[in-house]
Amino acid sequence: MTPLTHYLIFSALLFCIGFAGAMMRRNAILVLIGIELMLNAANLNFIAFWRYGNTEAISGVMFTIFSIAIAAAEAAVGLALVIAIYRHRRTMQMDKFDTLKG
Amino acid sequence: MLPIVKYLWLIPALPLLAAGLAALLKKERRASAATLAIGSMSISFLLALAAFLPTLSHGEHGVFRECFNFTWFEFADNTFQSASTVQLGWVLDPLTAMMLVMVTFVGLLIFIYSVGYMAHDENFTRFFCFLALFAAAMLGIVIANSLLLLFISWELVGLASYLLIGFWYHKPSAAAAAKKAFITTRVGDMGFLLGMLWLYSKTGTLLFYDGGNGCLEQSALIKLVAETTMCGMAISTAISILIFCGAAGKSGQVPLHVWLPDAMEGPTPVSALIHAATMVAAGVFLMARIYPLLSASADPATISTGLKVVAWVGSITAVFAACIAVAQNDIKRILAYSTVSQLGYMMLGLGVGGVAVGMFHLITHAFFKALLFLGSGSVIHGCHEEQDIRKMGGLRILMPITFATYAIGMLALCGFPLLFSGFWSKDEILASAHHWQISQIPFYLGVIGAFLTAFYMTRQMFYVFFGSPTVSPAAVADTKAKHSHNPHSSHSHEPATSIHESPPVMTMPLVILAVFAVLLGLIGTPAWPWFHGYLAGHSPKVDLGKLAEDAGLMLVSAVVVFTAMGLSWLVYSKVTLQKSREVDPLEKAQPFFWRLLANKFYIDELYEVTIIRLNKAFSVLSDWLDRTFWTGVVTMISHLTVGLSWLSRKIDEDLVNGGFDHGCDGLRESSRNLSKAQNGQTQFYFRVLGIAFVALVLALIWRAK
Amino acid sequence: MAERLLLANIVMLNSIAFYILAVITLAGAVAALTLRNLVHCALCVAASFAGIALIYLQLDAEFVGFAQILVYIGAVAILVLFTVLLTRGTEVQAGVAFLSRSWPAGLAVTALVFAAIAAPILLTPELHKLAADSASAPVRKIGEELMGNYVLPLEVIGLLLTSALLGAVVIAMQDKKD
């Protein structure tokens, strides 16, 4: 069977792709997509650890379920924000959003 | 306990209330003020009579004596195991009852008289307020069963006296006299206070009578007599001599007599009430009150030092003041010195013969001296504020009632045999002095005093009432001019020549007092010494044989009086008929002695050069010290303070504020730098998060190792 | 023998399935974050989500896998697509850099982060020893747990979702003034 470490490495790769996307793309929607990918990577970790640990205790699964719910909420609010910002600024460029700078 | 004992406090409280109410009255409410004062005094008089009646019957223990005591306050500390409280209270015994009746009665008459005398004074209301205050304080002294309560009332009396002497305070002489009276009596009161404190520290109580625990009762006296202080004096003696200092101050004994003649600057009713009848007698009363302490001595056979001191001081005062009185020309001053002299007699009587002898003279003197003062007031009133006897004359026709009553008072004071009260009381003092074991000198001094008294009183009578009226219209006009600045002298609108008899409101008290001046002698004759029995607590019997025993002495006394009066008549009867009365015949004969006497033995001047100069030197020294030394110290301290505050300011501004400002600047600068990190680039924050995450992982790995 | 072989085959097939799915997922993710056309990006990310859902199934977490398909592919990816369309993200602007100016720094940080995650995984020997038993998380059990131990978090999540939805509507709502 596939060792746990493979899952973990896969999850790490997915997380880093998400992270890199969130950090490097200019478009706000893609930043959100990157963040969703990072969340998925974390969820995958939970499931992998559950599968390779004590399967009777299903807290890993529960955690994932709640995480998915929160991710859905986050996506809804985040995309609503994107639309609102776009409406005001007519742009999606992340580096233009610097009103709150010190 | 009799109800009257419990409510004895009402007697002083009523005049006090009247004084308080009168103080609140407006100036125009003259009738109300007089009504209040006289009304309260009348009720007090009735209460005093009610208190007097039970004391007439004496129980098997001797003197009737009941007291009502209460605790004023308690001390927290236990210096005295038995007593750590200060108690006040009042006592009803013959001494108190008799004084109460005398003070309220004489006081009442003088109040009534004042209505006439002060009728034209614009501060009439204030006058009655002060009079009532005085009466309240005096009655407080009389009923006190505690030395402390007595002292409080004593000082209140001093205050009232100050206010009344200085009643016409716009006159500089009156203001000065008030101050002099107040300060001089304070000197004596210092001794009183010290004596009182000493007594308290020794016995733990200031109550006179307290069912065997009072300071005048056996147990305390034994303790006080047993201990001795410096010079081998028993403590009781030392304390009583200290208290006598207070009594001497108030009763004008040598050398503290100087204030009393000057106190005649006050209105005449004041002179009569305070400086003749009651207040000055307070000193004698005080000595009578503490007589058990005064006379206490280890060996009952010997006479205590305290009594000796009192007797000597009294006898010297009697002669000393009588001498001065001979050479005075002011009608009230003569009476004032006569008062000092008579107070000396009282002290002498107290010292040599006991309470009854001194107190008997006190009572008789109160009546005839009040009579004389009120008579002199009537004369002054009639003569338009003239007080110089050389400018009077022939008043017996113009003022017949005043003349008659004044003559009775004068004869009583001189000790005219048999008929007048003064004779009996003075004779008794002389008799006691004659029987004194220690020395005969007080007796001789007393006789000389009696001679001088008769002499100067006769002289005064001649000047004032006999001869031709010398108050010329010019003199009256002169007087008018002298007093025209005085708003209280409202006679200026009257015809100048009208020397007139005083109104009935003034003469009626004179008549009543005159009656008593005669009759009072009957209660203390050797044949029927009711007064002594009353004070000592036994019933006297009529014994005419006693009269015979003292007959020799009485004869001597009578001869002395007659000689003095005759001599005076010889000298002055002619002088008073002359127009020029400015120079006294005695002055012509003995100018040196006359000057000495006229200037009161230069006592005031002596005080001026000694005590007052010393005082002045001290104040100059204090002033100098203040200006140089203390000013330097103060300046130094202030400079030091200024220096310290400068330093403090420097530290504050440069160190504290500077440091704080610097800190703030640094904080602002660093936050400005920090805020640059907040650049609004979300992806920059991501990077920082990533680096922070890496750092966290590294830290965890490092920790795990 | 044949059964053992069959089992071994299944296990091996399982492993192979994981690797294939992993490759698809990563490729989808990379494509999603590198393509210029945002519609393509949204579709690629949907593919990536689907890969992850299949990996969940491969790990015997059926409920989570189907939840993943429903939520991520059915909701999030569609939402992203709608957003792209609403914001005219489809118009690819030529000549405008699709990467941010500081992308090299981002790449470096990403490398560091990957190293920080991978190093502990590779350096922890205990992880290699863990073996997977045959296990499953039956829906019944999950349901019981959600209504038992996790009922309070479930309620809170319900509240959160409600408020998030309301918030999203409020934020995205057209202002009357505009």
Side-chain angles (χ1 to χ4, degrees):
Chain A
M1 179 133 189
T2 323
L4 176 62
T5 44
H6 291 200
Y7 285 97
L8 297 181
I9 294 295
F10 164 68
S11 155
L13 275 171
L14 192 61
F15 181 87
C16 285
I17 290 164
F19 187 60
M23 216 163 23
M24 286 155 69
R25 288 297 295 251
R26 284 186 139 178
N27 196 296
I29 295 172
L30 284 165
V31 171
L32 275 175
I33 288 174
I35 290 166
E36 292 297 333
L37 285 174
M38 286 157 79
L39 267 169
N40 270 296
N43 287 349
L44 188 67
N45 257 16
F46 279 118
I47 295 297
F49 272 108
W50 163 74
R51 184 67 183 76
Y52 283 80
N54 180 10
T55 48
E56 286 304 306
I58 58 166
S59 46
V61 176
M62 303 307 295
F63 224 106
T64 310
I65 291 166
F66 286 123
S67 177
I68 289 169
I70 291 167
E74 178 251 326
V77 176
L79 289 167
L81 279 170
V82 167
I83 291 171
I85 291 168
Y86 177 78
R87 196 174 288 145
H88 282 282
R89 313 286 293 256
R90 291 282 145 194
T91 181
M92 304 283 279
Q93 309 271 317
M94 281 302 284
D95 45 7
K96 298 273 168 62
F97 304 162
D98 59 353
T99 317
L100 287 178
K101 73 177 171 193
Chain B
M1 190 189 290
L2 289 170
I4 186 69
V5 178
K6 209 168 168 186
Y7 295 107
L8 206 59
W9 60 273
L10 277 173
I11 297 176
L14 286 170
L16 189 66
L17 186 71
L21 290 176
L24 298 174
L25 285 177
K26 279 170 136 183
K27 235 181 187 177
E28 297 79 48
R29 307 292 299 273
R30 304 162 76 93
S32 319
T35 312
L36 267 174
I38 293 171
S40 68
M41 207 60 183
S42 312
I43 301 170
S44 288
F45 175 57
L46 293 177
L47 284 170
L49 281 181
F52 181 69
L53 287 175
T55 61
L56 287 172
S57 62
H58 38 79
E60 61 274 24
H61 303 300
V63 182
F64 174 92
R65 178 170 290 135
E66 281 194 22
C67 43
F68 180 86
N69 300 324
F70 60 94
T71 303
W72 189 25
F73 56 78
E74 291 182 26
F75 290 116
D77 69 327
N78 277 331
T79 317
F80 314 105
Q81 283 79 15
S82 55
S84 56
T85 59
V86 173
Q87 287 185 297
L88 298 183
W90 43 85
V91 63
L92 181 62
D93 61 3
L95 190 63
T96 299
M98 179 195 76
M99 281 295 282
L100 279 178
V101 173
M102 189 277 277
V103 171
T104 50
F105 183 59
V106 175
L108 183 60
L109 290 180
I110 291 166
F111 278 25
I112 293 168
Y113 175 91
S114 303
V115 174
Y117 190 84
M118 301 299 284
H120 302 289
D121 198 290
E122 64 170 326
N123 289 316
F124 187 84
T125 316
R126 184 159 62 91
F127 184 75
F128 273 93
C129 168
F130 290 167
L131 270 191
L133 174 65
F134 169 79
M138 186 65 211
L139 292 167
I141 290 183
V142 172
I143 67 163
N145 186 32
S146 153
L147 200 55
L148 185 60
L149 184 58
L150 198 151
F151 185 73
I152 293 167
S153 307
W154 183 270
E155 294 301 325
L156 276 175
V157 160
L159 169 71
S161 153
Y162 169 81
L163 292 170
L164 285 167
I165 295 169
F167 186 73
W168 289 324
Y169 54 84
H170 48 81
K171 278 203 297 188
S173 58
K179 253 189 293 183
K180 188 172 177 182
F182 198 70
I183 294 166
T184 313
T185 48
R186 257 340 118 279
V187 174
D189 290 351
M190 194 63 215
F192 187 178
L193 184 62
L194 287 176
M196 187 172 76
L197 294 177
W198 197 355
L199 186 64
Y200 186 76
S201 76
K202 283 292 166 197
T203 63
T205 179
L206 287 172
L207 289 177
F208 296 132
Y209 301 103
D210 185 20
N213 299 321
C215 62
L216 292 187
E217 287 171 304
Q218 208 56 39
S219 58
L221 288 181
I222 288 167
K223 207 161 92 186
L224 288 173
V225 166
E227 283 185 73
T228 53
T229 175
M230 55 186 177
C231 308
M233 261 195 295
I235 282 190
S236 63
T237 305
I239 291 172
S240 52
I241 288 173
L242 279 172
I243 296 178
F244 177 64
C245 289
K250 199 125 279 189
S251 289
Q253 298 299 293
V254 172
L256 296 174
H257 66 284
V258 288
W259 66 273
L260 190 51
D262 285 11
M264 298 306 135
E265 290 293 343
T268 303
V270 171
S271 310
L273 178 62
I274 297 187
H275 307 116
T278 56
M279 185 184 97
V280 291
V284 181
F285 172 76
L286 176 63
M287 295 327 283
R289 180 54 91 200
I290 65 158
Y291 192 79
L293 186 71
L294 187 67
S295 59
S297 107
D299 178 8
T302 58
I303 291 166
S304 78
T305 318
L307 282 179
K308 285 182 210 164
V309 169
V310 171
W312 279 108
V313 170
S315 57
I316 289 165
T317 306
V319 174
F320 181 82
C323 287
I324 298 174
V326 170
Q328 298 299 312
N329 290 324
D330 184 316
I331 184 167
K332 282 175 74 181
R333 254 170 209 280
I334 294 170
L335 291 176
Y337 278 107
S338 151
T339 306
V340 175
S341 164
Q342 296 305 308
L343 289 165
Y345 271 110
M346 293 174 212
M347 288 293 187
L348 172 64
L350 201 78
V352 297
V355 175
V357 177
M359 289 307 289
F360 186 43
H361 194 56
L362 189 154
I363 296 288
T364 57
H365 172 260
F367 281 91
F368 63 67
K369 189 49 72 66
L371 168 61
L372 284 172
F373 262 112
L374 296 185
S376 78
S378 179
V379 168
I380 293 164
H381 199 70
C383 294
H384 311 288
E385 314 300 324
E386 181 55 66
Q387 299 196 6
D388 193 331
I389 54 170
R390 286 171 302 184
K391 292 180 181 159
M392 301 170 183
L395 293 182
R396 70 178 185 281
I397 300 148
L398 294 168
M399 305 173 79
I401 303 173
T402 306
F403 167 67
T405 52
Y406 202 87
I408 291 169
M410 169 260 179
L411 290 173
L413 174 59
C414 295
F416 195 83
L418 298 176
L419 271 176
F420 298 97
S421 60
F423 171 74
W424 299 110
S425 55
K426 190 183 283 183
D427 183 66
E428 201 169 283
I429 292 168
L430 291 178
S432 303
H434 189 60
H435 297 309
W436 207 34
Q437 306 155 5
I438 308 296
S439 167
Q440 287 293 300
I441 295 173
F443 169 69
Y444 292 118
L445 287 173
V447 172
I448 294 168
F451 177 83
L452 288 169
T453 305
F455 184 81
Y456 66 70
M457 282 314 290
T458 314
R459 168 176 176 260
Q460 194 194 33
M461 282 301 283
F462 271 108
Y463 265 123
V464 175
F465 291 104
F466 291 92
S468 56
T470 50
V471 186
S472 58
V476 171
D478 185 44
T479 315
K480 243 175 72 185
K482 206 168 83 187
H483 289 277
S484 59
H485 68 278
N486 180 355
H488 304 283
S489 167
S490 48
H491 297 278
S492 41
H493 63 277
E494 290 176 15
T497 47
S498 66
I499 293 176
H500 56 82
E501 181 57 283
S502 298
V505 72
M506 285 166 75
T507 51
M508 195 187 64
L510 291 179
V511 174
I512 298 172
L513 285 171
V515 171
F516 277 94
V518 175
L519 292 182
L520 266 178
L522 298 179
I523 61 168
T525 60
W528 187 58
W530 175 86
F531 190 79
H532 307 71
Y534 169 65
L535 281 182
H538 57 79
S539 304
K541 292 185 191 73
V542 178
D543 181 7
L544 288 172
K546 277 269 173 59
L547 213 55
E549 271 178 38
D550 285 341
L553 202 63
M554 279 183 206
L555 203 65
V556 171
S557 166
V559 166
V560 165
V561 170
F562 283 131
T563 314
M565 289 172 80
L567 202 62
S568 190
W569 180 66
L570 273 178
V571 173
Y572 290 105
S573 59
K574 296 224 179 82
V575 177
T576 50
L577 291 171
Q578 294 165 4
K579 279 287 169 196
S580 128
R581 307 165 67 167
E582 291 302 314
V583 183
D584 197 278
L586 289 183
E587 190 176 359
K588 269 185 226 157
Q590 283 288 344
F592 172 74
F593 279 117
W594 182 263
R595 260 205 317 284
L596 188 65
L597 295 179
N599 287 303
K600 312 144 202 167
F601 286 109
Y602 294 101
I603 291 287
D604 280 335
E605 285 74 11
L606 180 72
Y607 287 167
E608 185 72 45
V609 296
T610 53
I611 293 169
I612 294 170
R613 184 168 291 178
L614 196 70
N615 209 341
K616 214 174 242 170
F618 263 121
S619 30
V620 167
L621 184 71
S622 306
D623 181 59
W624 178 80
L625 266 179
D626 198 23
R627 277 175 202 281
T628 55
F629 180 69
W630 292 114
T631 306
V633 171
V634 169
T635 314
M636 211 171 74
I637 289 170
S638 68
H639 281 315
L640 202 69
T641 313
V642 168
L644 276 176
S645 45
W646 178 84
L647 191 71
S648 167
R649 197 192 71 190
K650 277 284 163 205
I651 289 172
D652 199 26
E653 285 187 348
D654 295 357
L655 215 69
V656 179
N657 282 6
F660 196 73
D661 287 351
H662 198 74
C664 284
D665 285 343
L667 210 62
R668 205 180 297 138
E669 191 58 35
S670 57
S671 32
R672 195 177 294 130
N673 289 337
L674 269 179
S675 75
K676 279 179 189 152
Q678 184 94 8
N679 63 0
Q681 295 293 324
T682 322
Q683 288 169 332
F684 170 75
Y685 303 158
F686 268 134
R687 283 201 294 278
V688 175
L689 265 175
I691 290 165
F693 169 74
V694 173
L696 180 67
V697 170
L698 285 176
L700 285 172
I701 291 172
W702 183 73
R703 279 283 299 277
K705 286 202 171 151
Chain C
M1 186 69 196
E3 283 177 359
R4 273 185 66 190
L5 199 69
L6 185 66
L7 194 64
N9 279 343
I10 289 169
V11 169
M12 203 177 72
L13 277 173
N14 207 342
S15 294
I16 291 166
F18 165 69
Y19 292 118
I20 294 166
L21 287 172
V23 170
I24 291 169
T25 307
L26 290 176
V30 170
L33 296 172
T34 48
L35 291 174
R36 281 177 167 253
N37 193 317
L38 287 180
V39 179
H40 296 172
C41 290
L43 293 174
C44 287
V45 86
S48 185
F49 288 153
I52 290 167
L54 290 173
I55 290 174
Y56 288 156
L57 295 176
Q58 187 254 332
L59 279 171
D60 301 326
E62 293 88 359
F63 182 80
V64 181
F66 289 117
Q68 170 85 1
I69 291 167
L70 279 174
V71 174
Y72 274 98
I73 301 169
V76 177
I78 299 301
L79 202 59
V80 169
L81 207 55
F82 269 105
T83 312
V84 170
L85 294 172
L86 279 170
T87 57
R88 301 179 192 176
T90 46
E91 298 164 11
V92 180
Q93 294 146 306
V96 176
F98 68 98
L99 289 177
S100 69
R101 260 171 292 167
S102 57
W103 69 268
L107 203 62
V109 172
T110 310
L112 275 176
V113 168
F114 180 73
I117 299 172
I121 295 169
L122 297 174
L123 291 174
T124 312
E126 287 88 348
L127 285 176
H128 300 280
K129 291 173 192 155
L130 285 173
D133 298 329
S134 63
S136 65
V139 178
R140 182 187 182 82
K141 193 175 180 192
I142 291 170
E144 279 168 355
E145 285 287 307
L146 276 177
M147 288 299 137
N149 274 344
Y150 295 92
V151 71
L152 195 65
L154 185 72
E155 294 293 326
V156 174
I157 284 291
L159 268 177
L160 178 76
L161 281 172
T162 312
S163 55
L165 277 174
L166 287 172
V169 169
V170 168
I171 290 166
M173 201 157 50
Q174 189 103 33
D175 277 341
K176 284 274 152 57
K177 284 179 210 159
D178 297 342

